[in-house]
Amino acid sequence: MSDDLTRATAADLAGRIASGDVSSVEVTQAHLDRMTAVEPAVHAFLHVDGERALAAAAEVDRARAAGETLGPLAGVPVALKDVLTYAGAPTTAGSKVLQGWVPPYDATVTRRMLDAGLVILGKTNLDEFAMGSSTENSAYGPTHNPWDLDRIPGGSGGGSAAALAAFEAPLAIGTDTGGSIRQPASVTGTVGIKPTYGGTSRYGLVALASSLDQPGPCARTVLDAALLHAVIGGHDPLDSTSADAPVPDVVGAARSGDVRGMKIGIVRELGGEGYAPGVEQRFREAVDVLSGLGAEIVEVSCPSFTYALPAYYLILPSEASSNLAKFDGMRFGLRAGDDGSHDAEEVMGLTREAGFGAEVKRRIILGTYALSSGYYDAYYGQAQKVRTLVTRDFEAAFAQVDVLVSPSTPTTAFRLGEKVDDPLAMYLNDLCTIPSNLAGNASASFPVGLAPEDGLPVGLQVMAPPLADDRLYRVGSALERALEERWGGPLLAQAPELVLRPELVEGGPQ
């Protein structure tokens, strides 16, 4: 019974809870039991909120028994990336500088889920302040990929993706600044959606780069992601960058899965040298599937995409150096050196030295330099010009096609520790995903099979115009149905069973 509940889709669980076939408490307890069994090896969560989760589940069961109207996902568990606030639960953003901080308020995304009756299981692991592509930059230890515990689950939101792939949660929330939802989805065989910028609220999100950050849904199926997207999306007056526009009919698109007559463009610049053979093979096969389903496939050139990566790694550090200035030991979180022998400025320095990890310090230094007098126009200003060119390339492409496609990542999941000492190699993992963040359009990653050379998941990225998020779900649903028919079931059904190795259980992060 427990295994049956943890492997069910969110849509199926919601239906069973609504019909009274199973209670939300039973579903929630099954997932908490699963977490107890596999968390020592996977380390997807930084905080498990079991007591409140069971209380919330019991309230859903009470409301259902009383005949109250409930939302379409009421009673279904969800995992929340630990960069969004949840009143009463620790929010660390994966950093020691926020260790022990318990926010007194909910992020809008959190509040909308709670109002819809979803049950928050806990907070998931991430690279510190969402800076990274492997979750190895977390101050609380790395998360392990359930497909192979020696490999990364992607980043920064590796905890949310791993929780899904390990069947610890049927739904999860991530945030995407340069690919932090899509890249983890790709390497764990799950679904990850980056909504249009402004399509989901950033209120209550610990900011990394305010013009790039975007919360979004993560799931094991396209429909489940759409159902969660419909809950969290929409205008929020508390977020000045929130789009005052209705949420596209993402659920209807996910149920449709009809790509007949759609024009799909393959981005010429996102492929070729540097891409693993198995990634390109599965990508081409998936494109052929879409063609067979009635879509028209063309090749599109977006020449400015070549410069998106260096532009991003000037814009993001610049915004991060500004956003992270508030972590000074004066107001909340860690305070170091406050023993009466140091003045306020020295306490700030000691706090940042002790509280920030190497990657965060690296990006703060880079961003501060790029914004400094005499260098602003040469670096940050030029990067913003490239951003405009990337946006224009998207506009020109979307004048020709309905959506664009590419591999989600150049390679499959690499081994833990393989790139941790080579920042440039790590940054290249975001090569395909960064352009959509710079332009602010909608994009997603969907699983399209296993690479022949290593048997690890491969993702296909779909990019749609701003506020056309429903197109992502049309393409993703069509692919999902066709490929699962070919595979004989979901891709995650092919994942090896987790082996709880002693060295991880006893010596790894708890």
Side-chain angles (χ1 to χ4, degrees), residues 102-484:
V102 178
Y105 65 100
D106 293 323
T108 295
V109 166
T110 307
R111 175 43 49 195
R112 287 180 175 174
M113 291 194 298
L114 293 171
D115 289 345
L118 279 96
V119 176
I120 298 176
L121 295 169
K123 310 292 289 295
T124 57
N125 197 15
L126 69 153
D127 287 294
E128 185 178 6
F129 287 106
M131 298 187 197
S133 303
S134 66
T135 319
E136 292 172 289
N137 291 329
S138 171
Y140 305 100
T143 296
H144 299 257
N145 192 326
W147 285 83
D148 181 344
L149 295 171
D150 290 326
R151 295 182 184 264
I152 60 102
S156 65
S160 288
L164 295 169
F167 301 100
E168 297 178 79
L171 297 169
I173 293 292
T175 62
D176 198 307
T177 306
S180 292
I181 287 175
R182 291 161 288 157
Q183 188 250 7
S186 179
V187 301
T188 58
T190 57
V191 174
I193 312 292
K194 185 202 85 68
T196 297
Y197 182 80
T200 53
S201 174
R202 291 188 302 109
Y203 178 76
L205 166 64
V206 180
L208 167 55
S210 302
S211 74
L212 301 165
D213 299 338
Q214 195 62 200
C218 309
R220 290 193 292 265
T221 73
V222 176
L223 177 58
D224 285 358
L227 290 167
L228 185 55
H229 191 154
V231 169
I232 65 173
H235 178 63
D236 177 19
L238 296 175
D239 176 4
S240 62
T241 61
S242 177
D244 192 1
V247 180
D249 184 13
V250 293
V251 175
R255 295 190 191 278
S256 160
D258 185 1
V259 295
R260 287 174 295 179
M262 285 189 79
K263 203 167 184 179
I264 297 177
I266 299 173
V267 182
R268 182 183 306 155
E269 286 76 14
L270 299 181
E273 185 179 355
Y275 288 74
V279 168
E280 292 219 307
Q281 178 183 334
R282 293 298 181 234
F283 169 71
R284 292 290 174 180
E285 291 171 355
V287 170
D288 289 344
V289 167
L290 291 170
S291 177
L293 293 172
E296 180 185 351
I297 310 297
V298 299
E299 188 176 82
V300 175
S301 178
C302 298
S304 298
F305 284 17
T306 305
Y307 309 105
L309 186 78
Y312 172 87
Y313 278 104
L314 283 168
I315 294 169
L316 177 142
S318 297
E319 295 189 18
S321 71
S322 175
N323 278 327
L324 270 61
K326 60 179 167 285
F327 302 112
D328 54 10
M330 296 291 111
R331 286 161 285 191
F332 43 75
L334 180 72
R335 178 179 295 181
D338 188 18
D339 56 5
S341 64
H342 301 96
D343 62 25
E345 188 173 343
E346 289 171 334
V347 168
M348 289 182 190
L350 290 167
T351 297
R352 288 166 174 162
E353 170 61 28
F356 289 146
E359 181 63 24
V360 172
K361 292 173 183 174
R362 181 181 296 116
R363 296 198 195 189
I364 288 174
I365 292 169
L366 179 60
T368 303
Y369 180 82
L371 292 175
S372 60
S373 177
Y375 296 98
Y376 180 96
D377 290 333
Y379 293 107
Y380 183 76
Q382 289 294 101
Q384 290 289 17
K385 291 177 183 178
V386 171
R387 186 178 197 170
T388 299
L389 294 176
V390 169
T391 303
R392 289 176 180 172
D393 276 359
F394 268 119
E395 291 170 350
F398 288 135
Q400 305 172 53
V401 299
D402 296 304
V403 297
L404 297 169
V405 294
S406 76
S408 298
T409 57
T411 68
T412 56
F414 49 89
R415 294 191 178 280
L416 288 160
E418 184 177 324
K419 300 182 181 182
V420 73
D421 294 321
D422 188 347
L424 293 180
M426 188 74 79
Y427 296 167
L428 288 171
N429 288 287
D430 299 329
L431 194 63
C432 303
T433 52
I434 279 173
S436 285
N437 295 92
L438 291 177
N441 59 280
S443 55
S445 179
F446 303 107
V448 291
L450 306 178
E453 60 262 36
D454 55 22
L456 294 170
V458 174
L460 174 138
Q461 179 179 218
V462 183
M463 296 161 275
L467 300 176
D469 304 46
D470 53 315
R471 297 184 194 178
L472 306 175
Y473 291 95
R474 283 178 63 190
V475 176
S477 180
L479 267 176
E480 182 179 69
R481 292 176 191 177
L483 291 174
E484 287 189 1

Side-chain angles (χ1 to χ4, degrees), residues 69-82:
T69 301
L70 299 173
L73 287 176
V76 178
V78 61
L80 181 64
K81 187 178 181 181
D82 193 29

